Amino acid sequence: MKKTLITLITIILFAGNVLAQTFNDVETGTWYYDYVEQLVINGVIDVTDEFRPNDTLNRAELTKMVIMAINGLDEYEYINIPTFDDVSVDAWYFDYIEAAAQLGIVSGYKDESGNLTGVFGPGDIVNRATATKILVNAFGTTINTNPGSVFPDVTQGAWYYNYVVTAYNNSFINGYDSGYFGPADGVTRAQAAKMIVNFMGEQIGEPIGEQIEEPVENPIEEEEEPVEEEEEEVVEGTPAEANTASISEMNLLSGSSEQFVARYNFRGLYEGFNIQTLTVVNDVVGDNLGDDLSNSPAIKNITIKYPDIDGMLQTRTSSFSANGSVKFANLDFYAQRNEDTFLEIYADLNSFSEIGESLSGEVIRLGLQNVNNSTSTFKAVGAISSNTLTFGSGMLILSGDTPDTFVVRKSVPSFSINDTDSNLLNGENVLIGFTITADDAGSIGFGRITFDVSVSDSAGADLALSNFKFYRSSTYLDDEVNIYDATGIADVSPAGGGSISNGLSSVVVSFNEEETVSAGSSSTYYLKAEAVSVNSSDQISSRIKTDDQAAMLTGLTANNNENTGRIYVNGDATDGIFVNANDFCQTLDTARGIIWSDKSADNHSYPTINACAVTSGSGSYDWTNGYLLDVSSLPLVTISR
């Protein structure tokens, strides 16, 4: 009740613009002014001459601010036996840290086995990930990771993932202008003021993140669980490690600048070292990078980002050579001893207007060369021993995941599932509703979309689906589509009279004329069917077929890239989206579930279709399958009785 009253009073004060400057170093007009004054009004911080907005907080200072922000020490049960060995009873922060421990907000450091060490580290600088976790715990924020992380440096598996994503999804925090969160960066007192105000539910402006200088990427140890530093065992012949972090495969839009494609992690095991030379390659074949280089017209420049010996972010940009590699020499990239140090690789892509139809569908895979190295392609010098480290000599190990592949497109569609009635009825039912959105870069065309439909007849009483219909919004696409059960090769449209029953079926919706979603717009679709003999506990589950998501096209003799071609050319199985296909509508096993186009061909056209057969030679070469479309993450839609 006390907190609610203060909140209401505060809102009135801000509405009247009557706040006066409290601290000499927090001037009106600064982005953090209102947040600092808000904490003064709520009694969270003490009034002194200076606030020191740009100073970083330590763990004791943040803990006090958090305790004062929730309910002070009102419900604190004083004890004279410290919970932590490094928090003495006569320290100014003792009561606040003990209160936080009693409330389960903090628990102190753990060793590498996960056991509590009894150490809190009150004077340790608190980073953004740590601060976020403490605030989520303190305010009892329900963990919500849907949608997932928008930050490239906040990935699943990181101890702070749930906390950062939850705080972001509740608009309590934000990242830097670059799109990164910076979990390892120290939290300034100004940043902490804004975070606390947002968590208190007294939003004043945008989530934290603006007007913050871009940091150097540095990794962090878990807030409550960093490992106490010990001397690293010297491993002969292994003074450094480099590991790739998994970067999700995806479609990239042509014309993108600084597209993040790979991150490498370096750690000096018994000495720091300077990487002077390294080589970035494009190699889309096999597991090794560097043994089969290929140039790509889609790539304009490669940019690498790394810290120097002072931890300052350095950026170098260069263009690929004709063989698909770029060597960066005379670097001041420094990998610290016993600390993870990141190197990031970015790509600038040529625009579609610069390259034309030969660009769309281009496959790229960028990473550090890890075969065929010499000191001319990779060279690192140890800080102590001055030994030269090279790949392939036992001196440097490159391990981890192979960098993923990317496909450059003129435009890319995105999919989302719509809310529909979950009740299964005798009569017509909506099996699945979904929306397709085309990127602003260009329109998207569709030739075919396939669905997995699972019928669960619990009572064995002849539950069946028939009279399938496909709608664009409320418009029934009758003569514009063909609907087949590809498993049984049956026409399940009202005109065909076929049906599906208990078990899994693949229902194909193919378009007689190209279905277009215009650039920057969305179209909503519904697959409907009539159910008969519905009984208690019967259910039907549907989803967009995902088989094509990881199925890259190969072997086409199209005039641009192996991942694009014609939908089907009779008599030439290597020239179309179908392999040994008999017709456009029905075939499933040898054809593609999703057929779409980014309309990148100079003369884009839809094939001529007559009774589901494609006329030989018709249609353009810019059609592809569902490769890298993110449809497997879409939820299954289930309706039940």
Side-chain angles (χ1 to χ4, degrees), residues 293 393 441 475:
L293 303 182
S393 65
T475 302

Side-chain angles (χ1 to χ4, degrees), residues 97-116:
I97 293 176
E98 289 296 337
Q102 286 182 15
L103 294 170
I105 298 172
V106 299
S107 59
Y109 290 133
K110 295 180 181 179
D111 61 23
E112 57 187 6
S113 299
N115 301 314
L116 290 172

Side-chain angles (χ1 to χ4, degrees), residues 79 136 201 240 381 406 411 439 546 575 599:
I79 60 173
V136 167
V381 178
F406 298 81
S411 185
D439 191 271
T546 62
D575 204 21
K599 302 193 176 187

Side-chain angles (χ1 to χ4, degrees), residues 358-476:
S358 64
L359 180 149
S360 187
E362 184 77 27
V363 180
I364 62 175
R365 184 178 64 168
L366 303 175
L368 288 183
Q369 179 168 308
N370 62 7
V371 297
N372 303 325
N373 278 287
S374 64
T375 54
S376 66
T377 55
F378 188 93
K379 182 178 180 180
V381 178
I384 300 173
S385 65
S386 295
N387 292 328
T388 297
L389 312 179
T390 61
F391 280 124
S393 65
M395 297 297 290
L396 192 72
I397 298 173
L398 180 65
S399 60
D401 298 330
T402 302
D404 287 325
T405 55
F406 298 81
V407 174
V408 183
R409 302 286 188 193
K410 180 183 177 182
S411 185
V412 180
S414 60
F415 293 75
S416 61
I417 297 298
N418 305 328
D419 291 333
T420 55
D421 192 346
S422 61
N423 293 321
L424 174 59
L425 305 172
N426 279 299
E428 188 171 83
N429 296 267
V430 175
L431 303 185
I432 186 171
F434 61 99
T435 297
I436 301 176
T437 302
D439 191 271
D440 291 337
S443 299
I444 296 296
F446 284 90
R448 166 173 167 142
I449 303 175
T450 307
F451 304 87
D452 285 329
V453 178
S454 176
V455 177
S456 178
D457 186 0
S458 62
D462 300 325
L463 172 64
L465 293 177
S466 61
N467 293 329
F468 281 75
K469 297 178 181 179
F470 195 69
Y471 287 79
R472 183 195 309 116
S473 189
S474 59
T475 302
Y476 171 38

